[in-house]
Amino acid sequence: MNMKKVLASKVLLIVALAIVSTSCKKSSSSKNSSRATGWDINSRDGGFQYNTDFKEQETSPGLVFIEGGTFTKGRVQDDVMHDWNNSPNQQHVMSFYMDETEVTNAMYLEYLDYLKRKYPPSEENFKAIYNGALPDTLVWRNRLGYNEVMTENYLRHPAYGEYPVVGVSWIQAVEFSNWRTDRVNELNLQKNGYLEIDYTDTDPENVFNTNRYTIDPSSMDTGEPVNSRRNRNITVDAEGNESGIYASRETGVLVPKYRLPTETEWEYAALGLSEIRSYNLYRGRKKYPWDGQYTRSGKRKIRGDQMANFKQGKGDYGGIAGWSDDGADITNAVKSYAPNDFGLYDMAGNVAEWVADVYRPIIDDEFNDFNYYRGNVYTKNAINEDGSVKIITTDEIVYDTLSNGKIIARNLPGEILQVPVDENETFQRTNFDKSDEINFRDGDRRSSRQFESFGDEDDDSGTSDTKLMYNSPKHSISRDAEGNIVREYDKSNNRTSLINDQVRVYKGGSWKDREYWLDPAQRRYFPQDMATDYIGFRCAMSRVGSKSKGTNKTKN
């Protein structure tokens, strides 16, 4: 019996040693220990600082997650308009986030209020900043219609607060997205103790800017003592140098920028293919954001109700009184209709929506079938002679006069000046060769079938042997010495197209469109500096990390 006890004790001892050994091995490969060098990460002696506790990107305000995948982009229904501008092609989209609704009047008014407080229009130097962001409320006017109630009330009256904003140009939508990025990141930094917001600071050059904070965070420091900066992983080395005071990209606190979705992202999100496994639908046979081939609901409780807000027929925008087809005369409040399978509202009807792409009739899927987008213009931070980044001051704001006579600010005080990339970035590269890639393989001399017949630009006589693929009118607008607008219209008879590098795609049908335009694959274009009463927008955000949610957790 004693021998058995001794043997049993030895076995237990061996098992215990094995457990201890396993435990030691696991601790040696801790997430706070570098697998490359073995040195400690986030150590108090000033070691490498990195967020090893990061799980996955949190969904930012207003957005819903769209898991990426492959789909058939382009119309597969009958082309009754004979546009031939969206032939079916297979594309793959990375996972991203998108606004669950269109940007509303209330959301846009928050933006206007911020601009008014930070850049008072009463000051001559800032007047054009606020005025350039104002939606064009005159889009509601019609030569033979009485719509003054919308002209005077639609943007600001609380009755329309949750209605989609209209009268916003593509350029204005981009500027709203940039402002939204900065405001969300500013709040994130405050919540995590990296930034103390001084609400009494009215200096426009101190307005928070994400790009500037990332490059030169000390220039946006409030000067608060270190011990008041809660939640920070501040370390001090032997020489007294502090680290972890500011939130770098490695902390995971700063979110990617809000932006307009690409056309491919928008169409993919509108189709809502996540719950569909039918082969025909997967290959592109889905006609609307909802299931089925009809615009009316087949569900018992709401059978016969329209699934979207659109024009029913000539002189019919919403049915007869007491039996309204879609519940709206013009636009309708967001979330008035059921969402698609991604949880997105109004991806057909209500208002059409701006997307990021420059319009071209052909999608060049032969060159790229992954995250397709046409409109890349690459820039970089301007650098001073002393090596610091160039911060725009209140005296250096540049204003542009648009084709419709509106004045907008090209940049704002406190931002880092952006300049085109040059040969320092493009030399010996195979993936891009210049700053402006809008016309790559399309619309320029190299991509034209008549490359050999290219000549000079039009002369004063209006004749030319140049055969440009996109030969649009070239109107001119400028200001004289007294500040008066001088307009010159291109009256040449040789112009053959309205397509140029300043027209952008918009998608989805609107309250003003017939059923035909509700198909997510339909695409139209409009000048980027002009607005209408039927085009709005929603924002998107790229996803960093894994394709699917819940699979990006750090493994020990």
Side-chain angles (χ1 to χ4, degrees):
M1 293 294 291
N2 291 336
M3 181 61 84
K4 290 183 178 180
K5 287 182 179 181
V6 171
L7 291 174
S9 299
K10 288 184 178 180
V11 170
L12 290 174
L13 179 60
I14 292 173
V15 172
L17 289 173
I19 293 174
V20 171
S21 175
T22 303
S23 177
C24 291
K25 288 181 179 180
K26 185 174 181 179
S27 63
S28 65
S29 60
S30 169
K31 63 182 180 181
N32 287 320
S33 176
S34 169
R35 289 194 291 114
T37 65
W39 284 81
D40 288 340
I41 299 175
N42 299 321
S43 63
R44 289 292 176 181
D45 58 358
F48 173 52
Q49 301 297 307
Y50 195 75
N51 184 1
T52 56
D53 293 324
F54 184 82
K55 297 298 186 295
E56 66 176 355
Q57 181 178 349
E58 294 183 3
T59 304
S60 294
L63 305 178
V64 295
F65 175 68
I66 311 295
E67 183 173 341
T70 182
F71 81 114
T72 301
K73 173 181 169 65
R75 185 178 58 254
V76 291
Q77 310 296 327
D78 292 335
D79 186 6
V80 299
M81 302 295 289
H82 299 289
D83 289 331
W84 307 112
N85 69 348
N86 50 357
S87 300
N89 59 94
Q90 198 73 13
Q91 294 285 336
H92 191 97
V93 181
M94 287 185 67
S95 296
F96 62 102
Y97 298 84
M98 182 179 279
D99 272 333
E100 64 173 346
T101 72
E102 294 134 345
V103 171
T104 64
N105 286 317
M107 294 166 66
Y108 202 87
L109 285 174
E110 181 184 0
Y111 167 54
L112 294 177
D113 176 73
Y114 184 88
L115 292 181
K116 195 170 187 177
R117 287 186 286 109
K118 294 295 184 180
Y119 312 102
S122 57
E123 298 184 23
E124 189 63 30
N125 197 33
F126 298 148
K127 184 176 181 180
I129 294 178
Y130 178 76
N131 291 341
L134 286 172
D136 183 4
T137 58
L138 300 184
V139 294
W140 289 105
R141 286 182 173 171
N142 186 294
R143 295 179 183 87
L144 295 178
Y146 182 75
N147 299 326
E148 290 305 292
V149 65
M150 278 88 77
T151 299
E152 297 169 357
N153 295 284
Y154 183 81
L155 173 63
R156 298 186 182 277
H157 198 285
Y160 295 112
E162 290 303 304
Y163 283 54
V165 67
V166 297
V168 176
S169 69
W170 182 91
I171 293 175
Q172 290 173 317
V174 169
E175 290 303 315
F176 172 89
S177 303
N178 294 336
W179 164 84
R180 190 176 176 184
T181 302
D182 292 338
R183 292 299 287 159
V184 169
N185 275 327
E186 186 178 23
L187 183 61
N188 286 344
L189 290 171
Q190 183 188 38
K191 288 180 177 178
N192 286 274
Y194 286 97
L195 191 68
E196 295 291 340
I197 301 176
D198 184 2
Y199 295 98
T200 63
D201 187 356
T202 59
D203 186 350
E205 294 183 16
N206 291 336
V207 171
F208 179 83
N209 177 260
T210 300
N211 187 34
R212 180 180 171 187
Y213 182 88
T214 304
I215 301 298
D216 186 17
S218 62
S219 67
M220 309 193 75
D221 199 347
T222 60
E224 294 292 329
V226 173
N227 57 16
S228 72
R229 293 165 180 166
R230 61 194 183 283
N231 300 334
R232 300 188 186 188
N233 187 20
I234 299 175
T235 59
V236 182
D237 62 17
E239 299 178 355
N241 299 316
E242 297 177 343
S243 60
I245 297 176
Y246 306 109
S248 61
R249 290 290 182 190
E250 289 84 351
T251 64
V253 173
L254 298 172
V255 299
K257 65 180 181 179
Y258 283 84
R259 55 177 174 79
L260 291 181
T262 66
E263 180 183 2
T264 305
E265 287 175 334
W266 193 98
E267 186 173 328
Y268 175 81
L271 284 171
L273 300 173
S274 62
E275 300 300 323
I276 293 178
R277 297 294 180 266
S278 169
Y279 177 79
N280 286 334
L281 294 177
Y282 173 76
R283 297 297 296 178
R285 298 300 301 179
K286 193 175 183 185
K287 187 176 182 180
Y288 301 113
W290 52 85
D291 294 342
Q293 298 293 306
Y294 305 99
T295 63
R296 295 186 183 276
S297 174
K299 297 180 180 179
R300 176 177 296 182
K301 290 184 178 180
I302 55 173
R303 182 170 295 167
D305 288 358
Q306 291 287 7
M307 301 290 289
N309 176 18
F310 63 99
K311 184 178 180 180
Q312 314 296 309
K314 185 174 178 61
D316 183 2
Y317 290 82
I320 62 176
W323 190 261
S324 177
D325 270 355
D326 58 31
D329 297 313
I330 50 169
T331 58
N332 204 349
V334 296
K335 296 188 177 183
S336 293
Y337 310 94
N340 71 358
D341 288 334
F342 279 131
L344 301 171
Y345 294 86
D346 296 319
M347 296 301 286
N350 216 17
V351 293
E353 300 176 18
W354 288 114
V355 295
D357 295 59
V358 171
Y359 175 82
R360 288 294 185 265
I362 297 175
I363 302 298
D364 190 359
D365 62 315
E366 291 185 0
F367 186 82
N368 183 38
D369 57 3
F370 179 78
N371 270 12
Y372 187 90
Y373 165 66
R374 180 177 290 278
N376 283 312
V377 178
Y378 303 113
T379 62
K380 62 180 180 179
N381 298 325
I383 305 298
N384 294 316
E385 293 182 358
D386 62 357
S388 61
V389 290
K390 172 65 177 175
I391 306 297
I392 299 168
T393 65
T394 54
D395 298 326
E396 297 173 324
I397 306 173
V398 177
Y399 294 99
D400 290 333
T401 302
L402 304 180
S403 64
N404 55 8
K406 267 198 167 188
I407 300 176
I408 63 167
R410 186 189 305 171
N411 46 43
L412 295 176
E415 294 180 348
I416 298 178
L417 178 64
Q418 297 295 299
V419 295
V421 299
D422 52 28
E423 63 274 7
N424 292 325
E425 287 75 29
T426 61
F427 182 68
Q428 293 282 33
R429 287 190 178 273
T430 59
N431 53 334
F432 72 101
D433 58 2
K434 58 183 178 179
S435 174
D436 188 339
E437 295 286 9
I438 290 176
N439 281 317
F440 179 67
R441 286 169 56 99
D442 188 78
D444 57 5
R445 294 182 59 173
R446 291 176 296 176
S447 63
S448 174
R449 294 180 180 177
Q450 291 83 26
F451 176 81
E452 68 282 353
S453 65
F454 268 85
D456 298 328
E457 291 293 328
D458 290 356
D459 55 28
D460 295 336
S461 65
T463 61
S464 171
D465 59 353
T466 301
K467 296 182 180 179
L468 291 173
M469 188 178 295
Y470 304 112
N471 186 22
S472 61
K474 293 179 173 59
H475 306 305
S476 173
I477 187 166
S478 59
R479 291 182 178 271
D480 59 22
E482 298 178 354
N484 300 314
I485 295 179
V486 179
R487 299 179 178 88
E488 295 181 7
Y489 295 95
D490 185 349
K491 298 181 180 180
S492 171
N493 293 325
N494 297 324
R495 301 306 181 190
T496 59
S497 172
L498 293 176
I499 303 173
N500 55 45
D501 290 350
Q502 285 74 48
V503 295
R504 300 284 174 166
V505 179
Y506 69 94
K507 302 278 282 183
S510 74
W511 66 273
K512 218 171 186 178
D513 293 314
R514 298 290 187 98
E515 175 192 342
Y516 174 76
W517 297 105
L518 300 184
D519 186 340
Q522 296 290 1
R523 56 201 304 262
R524 292 173 281 181
Y525 62 90
F526 202 71
Q528 66 182 20
D529 56 1
M530 300 181 72
T532 75
D533 61 351
Y534 59 87
I535 301 179
F537 70 102
R538 73 179 75 208
C539 297
M541 178 185 290
S542 300
R543 175 172 171 82
V544 293
S546 64
K547 173 183 177 181
S548 304
K549 293 195 73 173
T551 61
N552 199 41
K553 296 180 180 179
T554 304
K555 296 180 180 179
N556 293 341

